[in-house]
Amino acid sequence: MSDGFLMEVCVDSVESAINAERGGAGRIELCCSLLEGGLTPSTGHYTQQLCSSLTCITLVLVCSGLLQVVKESVRIPVYVMIRPRAGDFLYSDWEVEVMKRDIEQMKIHRADGLVFGALTEDGRIDTELCMELLAASRPLPVTFHRAFDMVHDPAVALEALISLGFERILTSGCDCSALEGLPVIKRLVEQAKDRIVIMPGGGITERNLQRILEASGSQEFHCSARSSKDSTMKFRNSNVNMGGSLSIPEYAVKVADVTKVRTLNAIAKNIL
């Protein structure tokens, strides 16, 4: 890692990806629906019907247009989120099939790495499913995402992920944010002993990054570094919401902020 650390910025648009690179990010995590924790990025869909002796279901599968344009626009590595829906990380057979197809598409369109995770109903790493998805991902490196923060026993889960061959774990220390989960992150870094990268993420800002890096001993961190950007629409209908009651404003978007990324980059350089 250049400069002794690596900053990963999660983005959901081409503009954010470009801003992250300009600000000094070393890697991008590409996804959509950041308000839901990040889902598989998509700009289009195709359908396929799968049938068993009991039922038929039509799968809506993503095309990777966003990945293609991001890859054309930045030079730093782009790791792509493979997560078919929001909510828990216990997946049905149909959802697993979608994940496998998404992995195929992202590999075709030159993803540099992938990000996914899966758990059993009792909060353990789903080793069988993870092995299947890792096999489908080869030769790309894979990060186990914040599904880790929902596990029953972090120490046991860490050893399982090392055995499976994941490159890194993204974690908030099984708490609401990396700052609150700092004691757990520190223990995970000590337990990992360089066998796997422990990457803090979740609520990292300019105000807490120094404390998180100094206390954890981590050399990678994950952030969004976003600011709100006002829409350029002149006509605005304030009576309509496109989402639910908790939806974001229709006439504002959040994008990675070059200044914020640069500030985080400078803080990390001073520490590491």
Side-chain angles (χ1 to χ4, degrees), residues 8-29:
E8 177 181 272
V9 178
C10 58
V11 306
D12 59 0
S13 68
V14 179
E15 181 179 4
S16 286
I18 292 170
N19 287 351
E21 182 177 53
R22 286 176 177 169
R27 183 174 60 238
I28 286 168
E29 180 195 79

Side-chain angles (χ1 to χ4, degrees), residues 211-231:
R211 180 177 171 187
I212 290 169
L213 292 181
E214 287 179 341
S216 69
S218 298
Q219 291 191 305
E220 296 192 14
F221 66 95
H222 172 99
C223 61
S224 61
R226 297 194 299 166
S227 292
S228 185
K229 174 186 173 183
D230 194 44
S231 167

Side-chain angles (χ1 to χ4, degrees), residues 7 18-25 257-259 261-263 265-266:
M7 171 172 51
I18 292 170
N19 287 351
E21 182 177 53
R22 286 176 177 169
D257 186 314
V258 175
T259 301
V261 177
R262 283 179 179 155
T263 301
N265 192 39

Side-chain angles (χ1 to χ4, degrees), residues 13 19 24 32 34-35 38 44 49 55 68 82 112 169 173 207:
S13 68
N19 287 351
C32 70
L34 289 178
L35 283 177
Q49 191 173 68
T55 186
Q68 294 177 61
I82 304 294
D112 297 291
I169 299 169
R207 293 183 297 277

Side-chain angles (χ1 to χ4, degrees), residues 27-237:
R27 183 174 60 238
I28 286 168
E29 180 195 79
L30 183 65
C31 51
C32 70
S33 299
L34 289 178
L35 283 177
E36 297 180 288
L39 303 178
T40 305
S42 158
T43 56
H45 301 80
Y46 65 93
T47 62
Q48 178 166 332
Q49 191 173 68
L50 298 178
C51 298
S52 68
S53 59
L54 298 177
T55 186
C56 285
I57 187 169
T58 299
L59 297 180
V60 181
L61 304 171
V62 303
C63 301
S64 47
L66 178 58
L67 172 61
Q68 294 177 61
V69 181
V70 167
K71 286 290 293 182
E72 292 166 3
S73 304
V74 302
R75 295 182 179 180
I76 58 177
V78 179
Y79 279 34
V80 182
M81 174 71 75
I82 304 294
R83 187 183 176 209
R85 58 160 173 78
D88 63 37
F89 303 99
L90 181 65
Y91 295 115
S92 69
D93 291 343
W94 304 120
E95 290 166 339
V96 170
E97 186 61 31
V98 171
M99 294 170 80
K100 289 179 179 177
R101 302 298 178 91
D102 287 344
I103 289 170
E104 289 177 11
Q105 289 297 308
M106 300 311 171
K107 288 173 67 178
I108 288 170
H109 294 294
R110 300 186 299 117
D112 297 291
L114 299 169
V115 182
F116 56 73
L119 304 179
T120 61
E121 62 182 10
D122 59 351
R124 302 180 192 280
I125 303 298
D126 189 335
T127 55
E128 183 177 345
L129 175 53
C130 284
M131 281 194 291
E132 290 181 34
L133 297 178
L134 285 166
S137 302
R138 292 191 185 106
L140 298 183
V142 180
T143 298
F144 193 93
H145 60 40
R146 286 189 61 200
F148 185 87
D149 293 323
M150 304 298 187
V151 298
H152 179 263
D153 187 327
V156 172
L158 172 62
E159 296 301 328
L161 295 176
I162 291 171
S163 297
L164 285 165
F166 281 87
E167 182 183 66
R168 71 176 48 74
I169 299 169
L170 170 60
T171 178
S172 63
C174 303
D175 215 320
C176 295
S177 71
L179 185 60
E180 292 167 288
L182 196 48
V184 172
I185 294 172
K186 185 176 187 298
R187 289 199 299 271
L188 291 170
V189 171
E190 293 169 351
Q191 180 183 342
K193 295 179 181 176
D194 297 324
R195 295 176 295 162
I196 191 171
V197 175
I198 305 299
M199 179 170 63
I204 290 182
T205 69
E206 307 94 307
R207 293 183 297 277
N208 60 30
L209 177 60
Q210 180 172 348
R211 180 177 171 187
I212 290 169
L213 292 181
E214 287 179 341
S216 69
S218 298
Q219 291 191 305
E220 296 192 14
F221 66 95
H222 172 99
C223 61
S224 61
R226 297 194 299 166
S227 292
S228 185
K229 174 186 173 183
D230 194 44
S231 167
T232 56
M233 287 288 294
K234 291 184 172 58
F235 172 76
R236 303 188 179 197
N237 183 351

